[in-house]
Amino acid sequence: MNKTPHDSATTHLKQPTIQWDTSLIKRYDKAGPRYTSYPTAVQFNDGFDSALYQQVMDQASLANPSQHLSPLQDLSLYVHIPFCAHVCYYCACNKVITKRREKAQPYLNRLYREIEMRAQACDSQRQVKQLHWGGGTPTFINLEQMTDLMDTLGRHFNLSASDERDFSIEIDPREVEAETLPHLKSLGFNRISLGVQDFNERVQIAINRVQPFAMTQKVLEQARKHQFRSINIDLIYGLPFQSQESFQQTLDQVIALDPDRLSIFNYAHLPERFMPQRRINAQDLPNSEEKLAMLADSIRILTAAGYQYIGMDHFAKPNDSLAIAQRNSTLHRNFQGYTTHEDCDLIALGVSSISQIGNTYFQNTSDIVEYQCGLDNHELPIQKGIILTDEDVLRRHIIQQLICHFELAIDDVNQKFAIDFFDHFSEELTALKPYEADELLYITNNKIVITGKGRLLIRNICMVFDAYTGQSLHQTRYSKVI
C-alpha cells in the first residue's frame, strides 16, 4: 500500500512504493533505449567528422570566454581504457583482450595527443568537476602510467581540487594490488565502481569471471580505509545458472558489504553481435519468469535494506549524492548513466567514446587501429555524431525529466520552449492513454507524474516522446526494458 502524501519520509524522498505487477510488466516488456542520450547513438550520422567538430566548437565559442554564454560552465571528462587481461563472456563493451601489458603504452601515447587537441578548443578556466575512467579495465595500466595519464589531463584541463568533485574509476577486484587504491586516492580519485556481477561460483565459472567474495570484500575494506567517498557495485541478472534463490544470496552478500550505490543490469544475450557471448550456452540462461523474479527480489530486498530506487537499475543510499540530487531535482543522465552534474559539457577521450558539447554529440571511431592512425596524422578520430534540432532539444528535456525525476512540469516546458504542450504533443498524449489506464502515470493540467507501477517501465514511457524510435524502429538494437 502506498504511503500517504503526508508521510514525512515519502515527502522527503519523493519516493512512492514501487508496485510490482507481473502481468503489466510482461505486456510492456519490449526492447528500447536506455536513454543515456537523446537522440540515441543509433541516430548519429557517419558524416560527422573532425572538420564539422571544429565548426561546432568554433560556433560554441568554447575557446573564447568573452563570447561564450557560460564561460565558466563545468566540464566532465571520460577516459576510455579498452584493455582487459581476461575476457568476461557476458561483456558487450568496446575492449581489447590481451595479457601483454606493454600494448597499453602505444595507445596511451595517442590518447595524450587527443587530450592535447581537445583541450585546445576549451576555455582553460572551465573546471573539470567530474572525471571517470572506464573500459575495459582502467587498472590494466600500471601505476606509473596512471600517474602520467592524470598528469597529462592536469596539464591540459583545469582539474578541480574541490571536495565536491566526482573523480571515479571502474575497478576489477582481480586487478587490484596492495598499492593500487592508495595510489588512485593520491591521484585525486574519490569514487570507485567494483565489477562483481554475481557471487555464485558456478555462475562465475560460466561467465569466466571467478572472483571470490573475500576478494571483493578486501578491496571494499581497503577503499574505506583510504576514505573513498563512494563505492558502487555492479551486478547482472539473467546470467547462466542464476536462479531466484542464488541471486537472493548474492544480494544478501552485497548488502553485508554495504556499498553506497548499486547498479543491477539485465543481461542481454546477443551472441550474433558480441562474440564473447557465443561461449555462453543459451540453454543455461534463466527463463524470463526467473529473470523477472530476480528483478522483483532486487527491488524488494534493496529498498527494505534502506536503498533508494533511483531508476531503471540503479540504487543508492539516501545520503548518497545521487539520491540527494534526485530529491533536489538536479539529477541528470548521460553516457555514464545517472550523474549529479547536469550542467557539464562532456568531453570523452579514447576509442569509441561519446562526447556531448552543448547540443551536439560526437563519437570516436570504435576501431583502435583507426583511432591511433588518425591521431598519428594529427586528426581527431571522430567517426560520427549529430547536431540536435530545436525539436530534439525539446524532446531530450522531456525524456531527461521523466527518466531522472519521474515527473514533468508542463508549465515549465511551455515557458522554456515557447510551446503549447497539449497541442504540440497531442499524438503522444493520445499514445499515453493506455499507460494512464494501466495506472503507470497520471496527467493533470500542469504535470505528468509517473506512479509506483510506472517507474519500472519508464523506458517505455520515454519512448512515446522519442520521435526516432517511436514504438518499433530499431528495436533489435536495444535490450529489453526489464
Side-chain angles (χ1 to χ4, degrees), residues 12-69:
H12 177 58
L13 293 176
K14 297 171 66 178
Q15 182 83 356
T17 302
I18 301 300
Q19 298 178 39
W20 188 271
D21 188 321
T22 301
S23 62
L24 272 179
I25 289 170
K26 287 181 178 179
R27 177 143 51 91
Y28 282 97
D29 192 19
K30 60 183 71 176
R34 299 183 60 81
Y35 291 113
T36 51
S37 73
Y38 181 82
T40 66
V42 172
Q43 304 302 327
F44 291 3
N45 305 311
D46 290 335
F48 194 110
D49 56 13
S50 57
L52 185 53
Y53 158 81
Q54 190 59 55
Q55 179 182 335
V56 167
M57 298 297 279
D58 289 344
Q59 290 174 349
S61 301
L62 290 178
N64 187 342
S66 65
Q67 296 180 22
H68 196 272
L69 293 177

Short mmCIF file of all heavy atoms in Angstrom, two decimals, residues 12-69:
data_model
loop_
_atom_site.label_atom_id
_atom_site.label_comp_id
_atom_site.label_asym_id
_atom_site.label_seq_id
_atom_site.Cartn_x
_atom_site.Cartn_y
_atom_site.Cartn_z
N HIS A 12 9.97 13.60 1.85
CA HIS A 12 11.40 13.94 1.77
C HIS A 12 12.05 13.24 0.58
O HIS A 12 12.83 13.84 -0.15
CB HIS A 12 12.08 13.53 3.07
CG HIS A 12 13.55 13.76 3.07
ND1 HIS A 12 14.11 15.00 2.86
CD2 HIS A 12 14.59 12.88 3.22
CE1 HIS A 12 15.43 14.90 2.90
NE2 HIS A 12 15.75 13.63 3.12
N LEU A 13 11.70 11.98 0.36
CA LEU A 13 12.38 11.19 -0.67
C LEU A 13 11.72 11.30 -2.04
O LEU A 13 12.32 10.92 -3.03
CB LEU A 13 12.43 9.71 -0.25
CG LEU A 13 13.28 9.37 0.96
CD1 LEU A 13 13.15 7.89 1.30
CD2 LEU A 13 14.75 9.71 0.74
N LYS A 14 10.48 11.81 -2.09
CA LYS A 14 9.73 11.82 -3.35
C LYS A 14 9.74 10.42 -3.95
O LYS A 14 9.93 10.24 -5.15
CB LYS A 14 10.32 12.84 -4.33
CG LYS A 14 10.24 14.26 -3.84
CD LYS A 14 11.02 15.20 -4.74
CE LYS A 14 10.43 15.31 -6.11
NZ LYS A 14 11.16 16.26 -6.97
N GLN A 15 9.55 9.39 -3.10
CA GLN A 15 9.77 8.02 -3.50
C GLN A 15 8.57 7.15 -3.16
O GLN A 15 8.47 6.58 -2.09
CB GLN A 15 11.02 7.49 -2.77
CG GLN A 15 11.41 6.07 -3.11
CD GLN A 15 12.22 6.00 -4.37
OE1 GLN A 15 12.45 6.99 -5.03
NE2 GLN A 15 12.67 4.82 -4.71
N PRO A 16 7.59 7.03 -4.08
CA PRO A 16 6.46 6.16 -3.79
C PRO A 16 6.90 4.69 -3.79
O PRO A 16 7.93 4.35 -4.35
CB PRO A 16 5.50 6.43 -4.95
CG PRO A 16 6.38 6.85 -6.07
CD PRO A 16 7.50 7.63 -5.43
N THR A 17 6.13 3.87 -3.14
CA THR A 17 6.42 2.44 -3.12
C THR A 17 6.37 1.90 -4.55
O THR A 17 5.43 2.15 -5.29
CB THR A 17 5.38 1.71 -2.25
OG1 THR A 17 5.41 2.26 -0.93
CG2 THR A 17 5.68 0.24 -2.19
N ILE A 18 7.42 1.16 -4.93
CA ILE A 18 7.44 0.53 -6.25
C ILE A 18 6.43 -0.61 -6.24
O ILE A 18 6.47 -1.50 -5.39
CB ILE A 18 8.84 -0.01 -6.57
CG1 ILE A 18 9.87 1.12 -6.53
CG2 ILE A 18 8.85 -0.69 -7.93
CD1 ILE A 18 9.61 2.23 -7.51
N GLN A 19 5.50 -0.56 -7.16
CA GLN A 19 4.45 -1.57 -7.23
C GLN A 19 4.75 -2.55 -8.37
O GLN A 19 4.92 -2.14 -9.51
CB GLN A 19 3.09 -0.90 -7.47
CG GLN A 19 2.67 0.03 -6.35
CD GLN A 19 1.35 0.70 -6.65
OE1 GLN A 19 0.44 0.08 -7.20
NE2 GLN A 19 1.23 1.96 -6.30
N TRP A 20 4.82 -3.82 -8.01
CA TRP A 20 5.17 -4.86 -8.97
C TRP A 20 3.90 -5.51 -9.50
O TRP A 20 3.13 -6.08 -8.76
CB TRP A 20 6.06 -5.91 -8.29
CG TRP A 20 6.60 -6.90 -9.27
CD1 TRP A 20 6.02 -8.07 -9.65
CD2 TRP A 20 7.81 -6.79 -10.01
NE1 TRP A 20 6.80 -8.71 -10.58
CE2 TRP A 20 7.92 -7.96 -10.82
CE3 TRP A 20 8.83 -5.85 -10.08
CZ2 TRP A 20 8.99 -8.18 -11.67
CZ3 TRP A 20 9.90 -6.07 -10.92
CH2 TRP A 20 9.97 -7.22 -11.70
N ASP A 21 3.70 -5.41 -10.81
CA ASP A 21 2.53 -6.02 -11.46
C ASP A 21 3.05 -6.88 -12.61
O ASP A 21 3.38 -6.38 -13.68
CB ASP A 21 1.59 -4.94 -11.97
CG ASP A 21 0.26 -5.49 -12.49
OD1 ASP A 21 0.29 -6.56 -13.14
OD2 ASP A 21 -0.78 -4.86 -12.26
N THR A 22 3.15 -8.18 -12.37
CA THR A 22 3.79 -9.08 -13.33
C THR A 22 3.09 -9.05 -14.69
O THR A 22 3.76 -9.04 -15.73
CB THR A 22 3.80 -10.51 -12.78
OG1 THR A 22 4.51 -10.53 -11.54
CG2 THR A 22 4.49 -11.47 -13.76
N SER A 23 1.77 -9.04 -14.71
CA SER A 23 1.06 -9.08 -15.98
C SER A 23 1.34 -7.82 -16.80
O SER A 23 1.53 -7.89 -18.02
CB SER A 23 -0.45 -9.23 -15.75
OG SER A 23 -0.96 -8.13 -15.03
N LEU A 24 1.38 -6.66 -16.13
CA LEU A 24 1.70 -5.41 -16.83
C LEU A 24 3.12 -5.43 -17.36
O LEU A 24 3.39 -5.02 -18.49
CB LEU A 24 1.51 -4.22 -15.89
CG LEU A 24 0.12 -3.59 -15.80
CD1 LEU A 24 0.15 -2.44 -14.81
CD2 LEU A 24 -0.32 -3.08 -17.17
N ILE A 25 4.05 -5.88 -16.53
CA ILE A 25 5.45 -5.91 -16.94
C ILE A 25 5.64 -6.80 -18.15
O ILE A 25 6.34 -6.44 -19.10
CB ILE A 25 6.32 -6.36 -15.76
CG1 ILE A 25 6.38 -5.26 -14.69
CG2 ILE A 25 7.73 -6.71 -16.22
CD1 ILE A 25 7.00 -5.68 -13.40
N LYS A 26 5.02 -7.94 -18.16
CA LYS A 26 5.12 -8.84 -19.32
C LYS A 26 4.55 -8.18 -20.57
O LYS A 26 5.08 -8.32 -21.66
CB LYS A 26 4.39 -10.16 -19.03
CG LYS A 26 5.11 -11.06 -18.05
CD LYS A 26 4.33 -12.36 -17.85
CE LYS A 26 5.05 -13.30 -16.92
NZ LYS A 26 4.27 -14.55 -16.72
N ARG A 27 3.45 -7.47 -20.40
CA ARG A 27 2.80 -6.84 -21.55
C ARG A 27 3.66 -5.72 -22.14
O ARG A 27 3.69 -5.53 -23.35
CB ARG A 27 1.43 -6.31 -21.12
CG ARG A 27 0.66 -5.56 -22.19
CD ARG A 27 -0.83 -5.85 -22.11
NE ARG A 27 -1.35 -5.64 -20.77
CZ ARG A 27 -1.85 -4.47 -20.33
NH1 ARG A 27 -1.85 -3.41 -21.14
NH2 ARG A 27 -2.33 -4.35 -19.12
N TYR A 28 4.35 -4.99 -21.28
CA TYR A 28 5.13 -3.85 -21.75
C TYR A 28 6.61 -4.17 -21.98
O TYR A 28 7.36 -3.30 -22.40
CB TYR A 28 5.04 -2.70 -20.73
CG TYR A 28 3.74 -1.93 -20.78
CD1 TYR A 28 2.70 -2.22 -19.90
CD2 TYR A 28 3.55 -0.92 -21.73
CE1 TYR A 28 1.51 -1.49 -19.94
CE2 TYR A 28 2.37 -0.19 -21.77
CZ TYR A 28 1.35 -0.49 -20.87
OH TYR A 28 0.17 0.23 -20.92
N ASP A 29 7.02 -5.40 -21.69
CA ASP A 29 8.45 -5.72 -21.74
C ASP A 29 8.91 -5.92 -23.17
O ASP A 29 8.90 -7.01 -23.72
CB ASP A 29 8.73 -6.98 -20.92
CG ASP A 29 10.23 -7.19 -20.71
OD1 ASP A 29 10.99 -6.22 -20.87
OD2 ASP A 29 10.62 -8.32 -20.38
N LYS A 30 9.30 -4.81 -23.80
CA LYS A 30 9.81 -4.83 -25.16
C LYS A 30 11.19 -4.19 -25.17
O LYS A 30 11.67 -3.68 -24.16
CB LYS A 30 8.88 -4.07 -26.09
CG LYS A 30 8.68 -2.61 -25.70
CD LYS A 30 7.68 -1.93 -26.63
CE LYS A 30 6.27 -2.45 -26.37
NZ LYS A 30 5.27 -1.73 -27.19
N ALA A 31 11.86 -4.23 -26.30
CA ALA A 31 13.18 -3.63 -26.41
C ALA A 31 13.06 -2.12 -26.53
O ALA A 31 12.10 -1.59 -27.12
CB ALA A 31 13.92 -4.19 -27.62
N GLY A 32 14.03 -1.41 -25.96
CA GLY A 32 14.00 0.05 -26.05
C GLY A 32 15.29 0.66 -25.56
O GLY A 32 16.08 0.02 -24.87
N PRO A 33 15.53 1.93 -25.90
CA PRO A 33 16.76 2.62 -25.50
C PRO A 33 16.87 2.80 -23.99
O PRO A 33 15.86 2.85 -23.28
CB PRO A 33 16.65 3.98 -26.19
CG PRO A 33 15.59 3.83 -27.24
CD PRO A 33 14.66 2.80 -26.71
N ARG A 34 18.11 2.94 -23.53
CA ARG A 34 18.36 3.25 -22.12
C ARG A 34 18.42 4.77 -21.90
O ARG A 34 18.50 5.23 -20.77
CB ARG A 34 19.67 2.60 -21.66
CG ARG A 34 19.64 1.08 -21.77
CD ARG A 34 20.93 0.48 -21.24
NE ARG A 34 21.11 0.83 -19.83
CZ ARG A 34 20.52 0.20 -18.83
NH1 ARG A 34 19.70 -0.81 -19.08
NH2 ARG A 34 20.72 0.57 -17.59
N TYR A 35 18.39 5.53 -22.98
CA TYR A 35 18.35 7.00 -22.95
C TYR A 35 19.49 7.60 -22.13
O TYR A 35 19.29 8.46 -21.28
CB TYR A 35 16.98 7.50 -22.48
CG TYR A 35 15.92 7.22 -23.51
CD1 TYR A 35 14.90 6.31 -23.27
CD2 TYR A 35 16.00 7.81 -24.77
CE1 TYR A 35 13.95 6.02 -24.25
CE2 TYR A 35 15.06 7.53 -25.75
CZ TYR A 35 14.04 6.63 -25.49
OH TYR A 35 13.12 6.33 -26.46
N THR A 36 20.71 7.12 -22.41
CA THR A 36 21.89 7.84 -21.94
C THR A 36 22.12 9.08 -22.80
O THR A 36 22.96 9.92 -22.47
CB THR A 36 23.13 6.94 -21.97
OG1 THR A 36 23.25 6.34 -23.26
CG2 THR A 36 23.02 5.84 -20.91
N SER A 37 21.40 9.17 -23.90
CA SER A 37 21.34 10.39 -24.70
C SER A 37 20.02 10.40 -25.44
O SER A 37 19.35 9.37 -25.58
CB SER A 37 22.49 10.45 -25.72
OG SER A 37 22.27 9.53 -26.78
N TYR A 38 19.64 11.57 -25.90
CA TYR A 38 18.55 11.71 -26.88
C TYR A 38 18.96 12.81 -27.86
O TYR A 38 19.28 13.93 -27.42
CB TYR A 38 17.20 12.05 -26.24
CG TYR A 38 16.14 12.15 -27.33
CD1 TYR A 38 15.52 11.00 -27.80
CD2 TYR A 38 15.83 13.37 -27.93
CE1 TYR A 38 14.60 11.07 -28.84
CE2 TYR A 38 14.91 13.44 -28.97
CZ TYR A 38 14.30 12.29 -29.42
OH TYR A 38 13.41 12.34 -30.46
N PRO A 39 18.95 12.52 -29.15
CA PRO A 39 18.73 11.22 -29.77
C PRO A 39 19.79 10.20 -29.35
O PRO A 39 20.89 10.57 -28.94
CB PRO A 39 18.82 11.53 -31.27
CG PRO A 39 18.57 13.01 -31.38
CD PRO A 39 19.15 13.59 -30.15
N THR A 40 19.46 8.92 -29.47
CA THR A 40 20.39 7.87 -29.10
C THR A 40 21.47 7.72 -30.17
O THR A 40 21.37 8.27 -31.27
CB THR A 40 19.66 6.53 -28.92
OG1 THR A 40 19.14 6.11 -30.19
CG2 THR A 40 18.51 6.67 -27.93
N ALA A 41 22.51 6.96 -29.84
CA ALA A 41 23.64 6.79 -30.74
C ALA A 41 23.25 6.17 -32.08
O ALA A 41 23.95 6.33 -33.08
CB ALA A 41 24.72 5.95 -30.07
N VAL A 42 22.12 5.46 -32.12
CA VAL A 42 21.65 4.88 -33.38
C VAL A 42 21.43 5.97 -34.43
O VAL A 42 21.58 5.73 -35.64
CB VAL A 42 20.34 4.10 -33.13
CG1 VAL A 42 19.71 3.66 -34.44
CG2 VAL A 42 20.61 2.90 -32.23
N GLN A 43 21.11 7.18 -33.99
CA GLN A 43 20.80 8.27 -34.92
C GLN A 43 22.03 9.08 -35.33
O GLN A 43 21.89 10.01 -36.13
CB GLN A 43 19.77 9.21 -34.27
CG GLN A 43 18.49 8.51 -33.84
CD GLN A 43 17.79 7.82 -35.00
OE1 GLN A 43 17.84 8.29 -36.13
NE2 GLN A 43 17.14 6.70 -34.70
N PHE A 44 23.20 8.76 -34.80
CA PHE A 44 24.39 9.52 -35.16
C PHE A 44 24.71 9.35 -36.65
O PHE A 44 24.54 8.26 -37.20
CB PHE A 44 25.59 9.08 -34.33
CG PHE A 44 25.50 9.43 -32.87
CD1 PHE A 44 24.38 10.04 -32.33
CD2 PHE A 44 26.56 9.14 -32.02
CE1 PHE A 44 24.29 10.36 -30.99
CE2 PHE A 44 26.49 9.45 -30.67
CZ PHE A 44 25.36 10.06 -30.15
N ASN A 45 25.18 10.44 -37.27
CA ASN A 45 25.47 10.42 -38.70
C ASN A 45 26.95 10.14 -38.95
O ASN A 45 27.83 10.73 -38.32
CB ASN A 45 25.13 11.79 -39.31
CG ASN A 45 23.69 12.19 -39.04
OD1 ASN A 45 22.77 11.41 -39.24
ND2 ASN A 45 23.50 13.41 -38.55
N ASP A 46 27.22 9.27 -39.92
CA ASP A 46 28.60 8.94 -40.27
C ASP A 46 29.35 10.13 -40.86
O ASP A 46 30.57 10.16 -40.85
CB ASP A 46 28.64 7.77 -41.25
CG ASP A 46 28.22 6.46 -40.59
OD1 ASP A 46 28.35 6.36 -39.35
OD2 ASP A 46 27.74 5.56 -41.30
N GLY A 47 28.62 11.11 -41.37
CA GLY A 47 29.27 12.25 -42.00
C GLY A 47 29.83 13.27 -41.02
O GLY A 47 30.45 14.26 -41.42
N PHE A 48 29.62 13.04 -39.73
CA PHE A 48 30.12 13.97 -38.72
C PHE A 48 31.60 13.66 -38.48
O PHE A 48 31.96 12.66 -37.88
CB PHE A 48 29.33 13.81 -37.42
CG PHE A 48 29.53 14.93 -36.44
CD1 PHE A 48 28.50 15.83 -36.18
CD2 PHE A 48 30.72 15.11 -35.77
CE1 PHE A 48 28.67 16.87 -35.27
CE2 PHE A 48 30.90 16.14 -34.87
CZ PHE A 48 29.87 17.02 -34.62
N ASP A 49 32.50 14.53 -38.96
CA ASP A 49 33.93 14.28 -38.86
C ASP A 49 34.63 15.38 -38.06
O ASP A 49 33.98 16.25 -37.48
CB ASP A 49 34.56 14.15 -40.26
CG ASP A 49 34.29 15.38 -41.12
OD1 ASP A 49 33.86 16.42 -40.58
OD2 ASP A 49 34.52 15.30 -42.34
N SER A 50 35.95 15.36 -38.04
CA SER A 50 36.71 16.32 -37.24
C SER A 50 36.52 17.75 -37.74
O SER A 50 36.56 18.70 -36.95
CB SER A 50 38.19 15.94 -37.24
OG SER A 50 38.70 15.88 -38.55
N ALA A 51 36.30 17.92 -39.05
CA ALA A 51 36.09 19.27 -39.59
C ALA A 51 34.78 19.86 -39.08
O ALA A 51 34.72 21.04 -38.69
CB ALA A 51 36.11 19.24 -41.11
N LEU A 52 33.73 19.04 -39.08
CA LEU A 52 32.44 19.51 -38.57
C LEU A 52 32.53 19.73 -37.07
O LEU A 52 31.93 20.68 -36.53
CB LEU A 52 31.34 18.49 -38.89
CG LEU A 52 29.90 18.88 -38.54
CD1 LEU A 52 29.53 20.23 -39.13
CD2 LEU A 52 28.93 17.80 -39.00
N TYR A 53 33.28 18.89 -36.38
CA TYR A 53 33.50 19.09 -34.95
C TYR A 53 34.12 20.46 -34.69
O TYR A 53 33.68 21.20 -33.80
CB TYR A 53 34.42 17.99 -34.42
CG TYR A 53 35.13 18.34 -33.13
CD1 TYR A 53 34.50 18.23 -31.91
CD2 TYR A 53 36.46 18.79 -33.16
CE1 TYR A 53 35.16 18.55 -30.73
CE2 TYR A 53 37.12 19.11 -31.98
CZ TYR A 53 36.47 19.00 -30.77
OH TYR A 53 37.12 19.32 -29.62
N GLN A 54 35.13 20.82 -35.47
CA GLN A 54 35.79 22.11 -35.27
C GLN A 54 34.83 23.26 -35.52
O GLN A 54 34.84 24.27 -34.81
CB GLN A 54 37.01 22.23 -36.18
CG GLN A 54 37.90 23.42 -35.88
CD GLN A 54 38.42 23.39 -34.46
OE1 GLN A 54 39.03 22.42 -34.03
NE2 GLN A 54 38.17 24.46 -33.70
N GLN A 55 33.97 23.09 -36.52
CA GLN A 55 32.98 24.12 -36.82
C GLN A 55 32.02 24.29 -35.63
O GLN A 55 31.70 25.42 -35.24
CB GLN A 55 32.20 23.72 -38.07
CG GLN A 55 31.11 24.71 -38.47
CD GLN A 55 30.34 24.22 -39.70
OE1 GLN A 55 30.84 23.44 -40.51
NE2 GLN A 55 29.10 24.66 -39.81
N VAL A 56 31.60 23.18 -35.06
CA VAL A 56 30.70 23.23 -33.91
C VAL A 56 31.38 23.92 -32.74
O VAL A 56 30.79 24.77 -32.05
CB VAL A 56 30.26 21.80 -33.52
CG1 VAL A 56 29.58 21.80 -32.14
CG2 VAL A 56 29.31 21.24 -34.57
N MET A 57 32.64 23.57 -32.50
CA MET A 57 33.36 24.16 -31.38
C MET A 57 33.57 25.66 -31.58
O MET A 57 33.47 26.45 -30.64
CB MET A 57 34.71 23.46 -31.20
CG MET A 57 34.61 21.98 -30.86
SD MET A 57 33.79 21.68 -29.28
CE MET A 57 35.12 22.00 -28.13
N ASP A 58 33.84 26.06 -32.81
CA ASP A 58 34.00 27.49 -33.11
C ASP A 58 32.70 28.24 -32.86
O ASP A 58 32.69 29.34 -32.29
CB ASP A 58 34.45 27.68 -34.56
CG ASP A 58 35.89 27.24 -34.79
OD1 ASP A 58 36.62 27.08 -33.80
OD2 ASP A 58 36.26 27.03 -35.96
N GLN A 59 31.60 27.65 -33.28
CA GLN A 59 30.30 28.29 -33.09
C GLN A 59 29.94 28.40 -31.62
O GLN A 59 29.31 29.36 -31.18
CB GLN A 59 29.22 27.51 -33.84
CG GLN A 59 29.31 27.63 -35.36
CD GLN A 59 28.31 26.73 -36.07
OE1 GLN A 59 27.68 25.88 -35.46
NE2 GLN A 59 28.18 26.92 -37.38
N ALA A 60 30.38 27.40 -30.85
CA ALA A 60 30.11 27.43 -29.42
C ALA A 60 31.00 28.41 -28.68
O ALA A 60 30.78 28.72 -27.51
CB ALA A 60 30.29 26.04 -28.82
N SER A 61 32.05 28.89 -29.38
CA SER A 61 32.99 29.85 -28.81
C SER A 61 33.61 29.35 -27.51
O SER A 61 33.85 30.10 -26.58
CB SER A 61 32.30 31.20 -28.54
OG SER A 61 31.77 31.74 -29.72
N LEU A 62 33.84 28.05 -27.46
CA LEU A 62 34.40 27.48 -26.24
C LEU A 62 35.81 27.99 -25.97
O LEU A 62 36.26 28.03 -24.83
CB LEU A 62 34.42 25.95 -26.34
CG LEU A 62 33.05 25.27 -26.29
CD1 LEU A 62 33.20 23.78 -26.45
CD2 LEU A 62 32.34 25.58 -25.00
N ALA A 63 36.51 28.38 -27.03
CA ALA A 63 37.87 28.87 -26.84
C ALA A 63 37.92 30.36 -26.54
O ALA A 63 38.97 30.92 -26.30
CB ALA A 63 38.71 28.56 -28.09
N ASN A 64 36.75 31.00 -26.56
CA ASN A 64 36.71 32.45 -26.37
C ASN A 64 35.72 32.79 -25.25
O ASN A 64 34.53 32.95 -25.50
CB ASN A 64 36.29 33.14 -27.67
CG ASN A 64 36.41 34.66 -27.57
OD1 ASN A 64 36.49 35.23 -26.48
ND2 ASN A 64 36.43 35.32 -28.71
N PRO A 65 36.19 32.87 -24.01
CA PRO A 65 35.27 33.07 -22.89
C PRO A 65 34.49 34.38 -22.95
O PRO A 65 33.44 34.49 -22.36
CB PRO A 65 36.20 33.04 -21.66
CG PRO A 65 37.56 33.32 -22.19
CD PRO A 65 37.59 32.78 -23.60
N SER A 66 34.99 35.36 -23.70
CA SER A 66 34.27 36.63 -23.78
C SER A 66 32.99 36.49 -24.60
O SER A 66 32.08 37.29 -24.47
CB SER A 66 35.17 37.70 -24.41
OG SER A 66 35.48 37.37 -25.76
N GLN A 67 32.93 35.46 -25.45
CA GLN A 67 31.75 35.28 -26.28
C GLN A 67 30.82 34.19 -25.75
O GLN A 67 29.64 34.18 -26.05
CB GLN A 67 32.17 34.91 -27.71
CG GLN A 67 32.95 36.02 -28.42
CD GLN A 67 33.35 35.61 -29.81
OE1 GLN A 67 32.75 34.72 -30.40
NE2 GLN A 67 34.37 36.25 -30.34
N HIS A 68 31.39 33.24 -25.02
CA HIS A 68 30.57 32.10 -24.57
C HIS A 68 29.57 32.54 -23.52
O HIS A 68 29.87 33.34 -22.63
CB HIS A 68 31.48 31.00 -24.00
CG HIS A 68 30.79 29.68 -23.88
ND1 HIS A 68 30.08 29.32 -22.77
CD2 HIS A 68 30.69 28.66 -24.76
CE1 HIS A 68 29.59 28.12 -22.94
NE2 HIS A 68 29.94 27.68 -24.14
N LEU A 69 28.36 32.01 -23.63
CA LEU A 69 27.30 32.41 -22.69
C LEU A 69 27.64 32.02 -21.26
O LEU A 69 27.31 32.74 -20.33
CB LEU A 69 25.98 31.76 -23.12
CG LEU A 69 25.40 32.25 -24.45
CD1 LEU A 69 24.15 31.48 -24.79
CD2 LEU A 69 25.10 33.75 -24.39
#
